Amino acid sequence: MINVVFFAALREQLGCAQLSLAADDVKTVDDIKRLLCEKNEQWQQTFANTSLLSAVNHDMVDGDHLVKPGDEVAFFPPVTGG
Amino acid sequence: MINVVFFAALREQLGCAQLSLAADDVKTVDDIKRLLCEKNEQWQQTFANTSLLSAVNHDMVDGDHLVKPGDEVAFFPPVTGG
Amino acid sequence: MKKHNNLAEISIQTDDFSLADEVALLEQDNLTDGAVVTFTGRVRNHNNGNAVTALTLEHYPGMTEKSLANIIKQAKERWHIGRVKVIHRIGELSIGDQIVFVGVTSKHRQDAFAANEFIMDYLKVSAPFWKKEKITNAGKISENWLAAKDSDNDKAKRWS
Amino acid sequence: MKKHNNLAEISIQTDDFSLADEVALLEQDNLTDGAVVTFTGRVRNHNNGNAVTALTLEHYPGMTEKSLANIIKQAKERWHIGRVKVIHRIGELSIGDQIVFVGVTSKHRQDAFAANEFIMDYLKVSAPFWKKEKITNAGKISENWLAAKDSDNDKAKRWS
């Protein structure tokens, strides 16, 4: 299984903070995104936002980053701390 | 009269913190320096130090800066505060 | 310099912090570093022309710490600096409240200035924090997630 | 922003100062400036390989204030900054003692960082202060006037 987490505006738009995915069908971060977009129109629209960032196991990564069972994959908007 | 003041290492080397000069013979800061060098060998040697800075009425100036009666002229080594 | 194992370089906390206490820790038993540069960021009462009344800060536990540790590591590789402390608050904050603190000591001031600004610039673009502002616009109160600024990306790029 | 006429921007003093108090004054009734950058310089225990045991600071009363006021004026012309405070101590100082403080507030952090470093860089080359160190070298105590550093001139030239 892969643990998927969402933060900030993205979490609110999706109405979801965390979900688990079977790792069978996904090789990359982009695969996870595609799978999530299949849930419904709202998820698809929300993930159409090209400025969203992704991280695997707490490191910022690009969409072609490989994922494996046990990974924590995060999606979130550009950061605004400081 | 012109008020002449010395600071830090220069003051210690000259053994003098302040003196007054008649303004009659001096037009520039360099004129004052020349006049002071005539005092004796020690003053001459001390003022041979080319890194010495000068100020007139609290503004850093070059040797050709004009002076007038009532001015305060200062000589001192490069600054080392902060 | 004496080792100071009890001084964690990174703190993510809901509580406020004391600038004086933090600087005292950076200076304690540290007589080799003559320069201390601090940055403190506070909640302003205005942003983009709107009156801000409060701020909520969300973060990604675990990744935030990892990200900040990586930024500090890079700063130490680029400059000769002594001690570093980064504090970032999370949760509900009010106008004037302290949000973030970066403190850096060094032998020579230029290193402390550069490293401090570098840490802030990278924190702004790569540490997972998000601000939600409560604003009053024409008498109406609303809550908005802040949009990231291009200028912050530009600032971070200066260092590469 | 409320006027704060009681806040002198420059202080030349023998007494120590409190970083916390100075920053509190910079932030008081100032909710528009979200960024505060401070520099604190302290007496180090080493200089050029010698063990320093004490420091005496001499200055040129009147010119020092004029010089610092001019530096602050230039900083305000170059950057959008809010409040500025410069404190420089004179007289006898011991190891670890605070010597100098520069505090700058601004709406955007880049201005506060740049202005603060600019003020320090120019203070170092144009404000009439002189340091005399008491050093111990091979068991012998001596007093030396510090020599100015070329690197300080280079730093100041970066801004022109």
Side-chain angles (χ1 to χ4, degrees):
Chain A
M1 297 294 280
I2 289 169
N3 186 36
V4 187
V5 291
F6 309 98
F7 291 95
L10 181 65
R11 174 178 45 74
E12 289 190 354
Q13 283 156 21
L14 299 174
C16 176
Q18 187 272 333
L19 57 78
S20 294
L21 275 183
D24 313 340
D25 299 336
V26 296
K27 283 214 165 66
T28 68
V29 169
D30 277 342
D31 289 344
I32 295 176
K33 232 188 249 186
R34 261 188 295 273
L35 212 62
L36 294 173
C37 285
E38 288 170 14
K39 284 171 84 86
N40 64 42
E41 186 91 355
Q42 199 209 333
W43 282 67
Q44 196 178 335
Q45 276 173 14
T46 304
F47 274 99
N49 178 350
T50 54
S51 70
L52 289 178
L53 302 175
S54 43
V56 172
N57 300 333
H58 297 161
D59 284 320
M60 215 83 93
V61 298
D62 289 326
D64 58 2
H65 188 90
L66 297 175
V67 292
K68 58 181 192 308
D71 278 355
E72 177 167 297
V73 178
F75 295 101
F76 45 78
V79 304
T80 57
Chain B
M1 299 294 279
I2 291 170
N3 186 34
V4 187
V5 291
F6 309 98
F7 290 95
L10 181 64
R11 173 178 46 74
E12 290 190 352
Q13 283 156 23
L14 300 174
C16 176
Q18 187 270 334
L19 55 79
S20 294
L21 275 184
D24 315 338
D25 300 334
V26 298
K27 285 211 167 68
T28 68
V29 169
D30 277 340
D31 289 344
I32 295 177
K33 233 190 251 187
R34 260 189 296 274
L35 213 62
L36 295 173
C37 285
E38 288 171 13
K39 285 171 84 84
N40 64 40
E41 186 91 352
Q42 200 208 333
W43 283 69
Q44 197 180 333
Q45 276 174 14
T46 304
F47 274 98
N49 178 351
T50 54
S51 69
L52 289 179
L53 302 175
S54 44
V56 172
N57 300 332
H58 297 161
D59 284 321
M60 214 85 91
V61 298
D62 289 326
D64 57 3
H65 188 90
L66 297 175
V67 291
K68 57 181 194 307
D71 278 354
E72 176 167 300
V73 178
F75 295 102
F76 44 77
V79 305
T80 56
Chain C
M1 198 196 318
K2 203 169 142 189
K3 280 271 182 199
H4 51 102
N5 296 314
N6 59 335
L7 179 62
E9 286 185 326
I10 298 163
S11 176
I12 314 296
Q13 59 190 55
T14 51
D15 290 346
D16 197 9
F17 54 85
S18 152
L19 177 67
D21 290 352
E22 295 306 326
V23 170
L25 281 170
L26 290 169
E27 293 180 344
Q28 196 171 57
D29 304 319
N30 179 5
L31 296 173
T32 56
D33 290 339
V36 186
V37 173
T38 73
F39 174 84
T40 313
R42 299 189 308 143
V43 182
R44 287 191 292 158
N45 61 359
H46 277 81
N47 195 28
N48 297 326
N50 296 315
V52 178
T53 57
L55 201 65
T56 307
L57 264 149
E58 180 172 331
H59 80 306
Y60 181 178
M63 180 169 172
T64 319
E65 291 81 353
K66 190 173 182 178
S67 164
L68 292 175
N70 182 43
I71 295 168
I72 293 172
K73 184 171 162 281
Q74 285 183 58
K76 288 183 172 176
E77 287 166 3
R78 293 177 71 133
W79 294 281
H80 292 289
I81 54 178
R83 296 188 193 168
V84 177
K85 178 83 187 209
V86 176
I87 303 175
H88 203 300
R89 294 179 67 192
I90 50 173
E92 306 267 332
L93 300 176
S94 305
I95 303 303
D97 281 358
Q98 301 185 112
I99 305 171
V100 59
F101 169 83
V102 178
V104 178
T105 72
S106 64
K107 288 194 170 54
H108 304 290
R109 71 185 181 283
Q110 206 170 5
D111 290 322
F113 273 113
N116 198 312
E117 192 168 9
F118 172 90
I119 290 169
M120 272 309 300
D121 284 354
Y122 273 93
L123 182 157
K124 278 271 184 183
V125 298
S126 65
F129 293 101
W130 300 274
K131 279 184 190 140
K132 192 184 207 173
E133 282 182 344
K134 192 175 279 179
I135 61 171
T136 311
N137 192 347
K140 256 182 56 187
I141 294 170
S142 60
E143 284 204 311
N144 291 329
W145 288 98
L146 250 73
K149 288 189 218 139
D150 287 341
S151 61
D152 281 327
N153 277 311
D154 295 341
K155 276 175 202 145
K157 277 185 198 136
R158 284 183 305 151
W159 302 101
S160 54
Chain D
M1 196 197 313
K2 202 169 143 187
K3 280 271 182 197
H4 50 101
N5 296 317
N6 58 336
L7 179 60
E9 286 184 327
I10 297 163
S11 176
I12 315 294
Q13 59 189 56
T14 50
D15 290 347
D16 197 11
F17 54 85
S18 151
L19 177 68
D21 291 352
E22 294 306 327
V23 169
L25 281 169
L26 290 169
E27 294 181 344
Q28 196 171 57
D29 303 319
N30 179 3
L31 296 173
T32 55
D33 290 339
V36 186
V37 173
T38 72
F39 174 85
T40 313
R42 298 190 307 144
V43 183
R44 288 191 290 157
N45 61 359
H46 276 81
N47 195 28
N48 297 328
N50 296 315
V52 178
T53 57
L55 202 64
T56 307
L57 264 148
E58 179 173 330
H59 80 307
Y60 180 0
M63 178 166 173
T64 320
E65 291 80 354
K66 191 173 181 179
S67 164
L68 292 174
N70 182 41
I71 295 169
I72 293 172
K73 184 171 162 282
Q74 285 184 57
K76 287 183 173 176
E77 286 167 3
R78 293 178 70 133
W79 293 281
H80 293 288
I81 54 178
R83 295 187 194 169
V84 177
K85 178 85 187 205
V86 177
I87 303 175
H88 204 298
R89 293 178 69 192
I90 50 172
E92 305 267 333
L93 299 176
S94 305
I95 302 304
D97 280 357
Q98 302 184 114
I99 305 170
V100 58
F101 169 82
V102 178
V104 178
T105 73
S106 64
K107 287 193 170 56
H108 303 290
R109 72 184 180 283
Q110 206 169 3
D111 291 321
F113 273 113
N116 198 312
E117 192 168 9
F118 172 90
I119 290 169
M120 272 309 300
D121 284 353
Y122 273 93
L123 183 156
K124 278 271 184 183
V125 297
S126 64
F129 293 102
W130 299 273
K131 280 184 189 137
K132 192 184 207 174
E133 281 182 345
K134 193 175 278 179
I135 61 171
T136 311
N137 193 347
K140 258 182 55 189
I141 294 171
S142 60
E143 284 204 310
N144 291 328
W145 288 99
L146 251 72
K149 287 189 218 140
D150 287 342
S151 61
D152 282 327
N153 277 312
D154 295 341
K155 275 174 203 145
K157 278 186 197 136
R158 284 183 306 152
W159 301 101
S160 56

